[in-house]
Amino acid sequence: MTGPPAARPLPADPGGMHADLTNQAIQYLVERHWPMLPSIGKQKRPCVGWKEFQEHLPTADQLRQWGRKFRPDRWGVVTGRLACNVVADFDGEKGIALMQKWGINPHLRTGSGGFHSYFQHPGWRVPTLNAKSGKLSWPWPGLDIRGDGGFAVLLGRNSNGPYVQLRELILGACPRIANLEGWTDALR
């Protein structure tokens, strides 16, 4: 895809779901200073360019405009230094087994049945990594790391179901090497 998709023509929003999601996204922007961006369609990525929002926050007015224009089914956060967060995304049986082995208590259940855990950004560059990144031999199938420049859906739903908050989004420190068998070494 060469650019963001066009706005979807939708009927009126009688239940207010899209407006409610936009208001929740604005709340995360204002209260946590998290760069929140809309997402539509099958892909779980923003429907607006997000490179600039790795360096500065969008405004509440931009979120309102995007909410009216795109009527997104979901909103996500640009992860990394600006948002002061890193997201561990555990998917499939292997990812869930790894999460349980490491004793990680997830913050969200994804629409696809996976889990997201949010951590404080450690202050050094944290790449967005997974088995498909090809830069490292990835030792943890079922785990994706959403670090600097990443994007993680936080609100709404995908085609498989809703994203459900399981506990308050209080960010813990990034896991220590001793606890996660070298996880933080792989991110450096």
Side-chain angles (χ1 to χ4, degrees), residues 5-185:
R8 296 184 303 167
L10 294 175
D13 186 15
M17 179 189 85
H18 299 287
D20 185 51
L21 285 176
T22 299
N23 289 334
Q24 290 176 55
I26 290 169
Q27 186 174 356
Y28 279 105
L29 169 69
V30 170
E31 292 178 5
R32 293 180 180 254
H33 303 280
W34 283 5
M36 300 295 294
L37 302 179
S39 175
I40 60 175
K42 292 184 179 185
Q43 297 295 322
K44 295 180 281 185
R45 59 183 139 185
C47 56
V48 298
W50 83 84
K51 187 164 181 68
E52 68 182 287
F53 301 111
Q54 296 172 29
E55 302 296 326
H56 72 271
L57 296 172
T59 66
D61 283 340
Q62 283 177 300
L63 269 64
R64 285 185 197 96
Q65 289 170 1
W66 294 333
R68 286 189 299 271
K69 180 178 180 179
F70 295 109
R71 297 196 184 181
D73 295 321
R74 60 196 161 270
W75 288 82
V77 59
V78 178
T79 57
R81 189 179 297 263
L82 179 63
C84 297
N85 68 24
V86 174
V87 176
D89 179 1
F90 298 92
D91 287 317
E93 289 179 18
K94 290 181 179 181
I96 293 169
L98 190 60
M99 179 184 71
Q100 291 170 342
K101 176 181 176 183
W102 288 344
I104 293 177
N105 185 15
H107 292 95
L108 295 176
R109 186 182 68 235
T110 70
S112 303
F115 295 92
H116 287 181
S117 293
Y118 283 70
F119 299 99
Q120 290 175 356
H121 191 279
W124 37 265
R125 185 180 178 285
V126 178
T128 293
L129 295 169
N130 60 39
K132 298 174 193 168
S133 66
K135 295 179 181 178
L136 296 173
S137 175
W138 193 244
W140 304 289
L143 172 64
D144 295 341
I145 303 299
R146 309 280 185 240
D148 293 311
F151 180 76
V153 173
L154 176 62
L155 303 169
R157 62 180 300 112
N158 64 24
S159 59
N160 296 312
Y163 282 68
V164 177
Q165 186 172 330
L166 302 174
R167 65 185 180 101
E168 190 173 352
L169 280 166
I170 296 174
L171 306 185
C174 273
R176 298 272 179 220
I177 295 169
N179 295 0
L180 297 187
E181 304 168 11
W183 183 62
T184 54
D185 271 348

